[in-house]
Amino acid sequence: MKEIQMLSLLCIAGTAVLFDLHEGRIPNGIVVTGILWGGTYQLFARGAMGLLLFLGGVFLPILLFGGFYYFRMIGAGDIKLMCVMGGFLGPSDCFACITAAILFGGMISLAIILRRHNISQRLICLSDYIDQYSKEKQWNSYLEKTKEDARFCFSVPVLLGILCYIGGII
């Protein structure tokens, strides 16, 4: 049964990454399929307890990343992909994968910054954003004034976190 869980999660996450890299978004059809598939898996594998694990796993990424989405620091598709992951894995394993994804995301971000030699530009952008928000107390998108090349698909670190989980690294 565990093989079905891992293969299903890998297929859904891999498909989401391909769409994210190619189109810059994760289609809701993939997310809905993943949520339904994860709920069905949990129900058959663990019964009523599986539904509790499913719900806990689905809502954990919303709780952890809702604020980041509010400030447009992360995309809705990335959060929904993590909800799919949580539905398959439950809250504790989902948290471990999210932790790994954040570490991978940080490493990718650092590599991008070092390659582009723009660490001072990125720090100034963050400082300006914090300064503007603290003065105006008005929400603005963090990425509103940034160039397109300052963004990257967080679905990739999510997939890497899933691969670490499947490989037994986390």
Side-chain angles (χ1 to χ4, degrees):
M1 200 71 157
K2 182 100 170 156
E3 294 83 12
I4 293 171
Q5 176 193 34
M6 295 299 107
L7 185 58
S8 300
L9 183 57
L10 191 58
C11 287
I12 291 167
T15 303
V17 167
L18 291 175
F19 271 95
D20 200 10
L21 291 172
H22 187 261
E23 297 181 11
R25 59 186 277 300
I26 299 171
N28 285 333
I30 294 172
V31 173
V32 170
T33 301
I35 292 289
L36 293 174
W37 202 342
T40 303
Y41 168 78
Q42 289 288 13
L43 181 62
F44 280 108
R46 296 181 179 92
M49 184 59 165
L51 286 179
L52 291 175
L53 289 171
F54 169 77
L55 291 173
V58 166
F59 287 108
L60 179 66
I62 296 168
L63 292 172
L64 294 177
F65 292 97
F68 292 105
Y69 174 72
Y70 178 78
F71 290 105
R72 301 300 186 262
M73 294 175 164
I74 190 169
D78 300 321
I79 295 173
K80 291 185 278 187
L81 178 59
M82 288 186 276
C83 290
V84 169
M85 177 179 66
F88 274 98
L89 301 177
S92 62
D93 289 340
C94 177
F95 186 78
C97 285
I98 286 173
T99 302
I102 290 169
L103 292 173
F104 280 117
M107 289 187 287
I108 292 169
S109 295
L110 182 61
I112 291 170
I113 287 171
L114 293 174
R115 184 163 191 261
R116 294 184 180 150
H117 306 288
N118 66 350
I119 191 164
S120 60
Q121 178 186 1
R122 299 306 321 144
L123 290 173
I124 289 169
C125 180
L126 177 62
S127 174
D128 288 348
Y129 179 79
I130 293 170
D131 186 52
Q132 178 185 4
Y133 184 78
S134 66
K135 287 179 183 174
E136 297 175 7
K137 302 288 189 242
Q138 182 179 359
W139 171 86
N140 291 308
S141 172
Y142 176 73
L143 294 175
E144 185 177 280
K145 296 178 184 175
T146 60
K147 298 176 185 172
E148 187 65 34
D149 71 343
R151 305 171 188 209
F152 76 96
C153 300
F154 193 71
S155 61
V156 173
V158 171
L159 178 61
L160 293 172
I162 292 169
L163 289 170
C164 284
Y165 176 79
I166 291 171
I169 296 171
I170 57 171

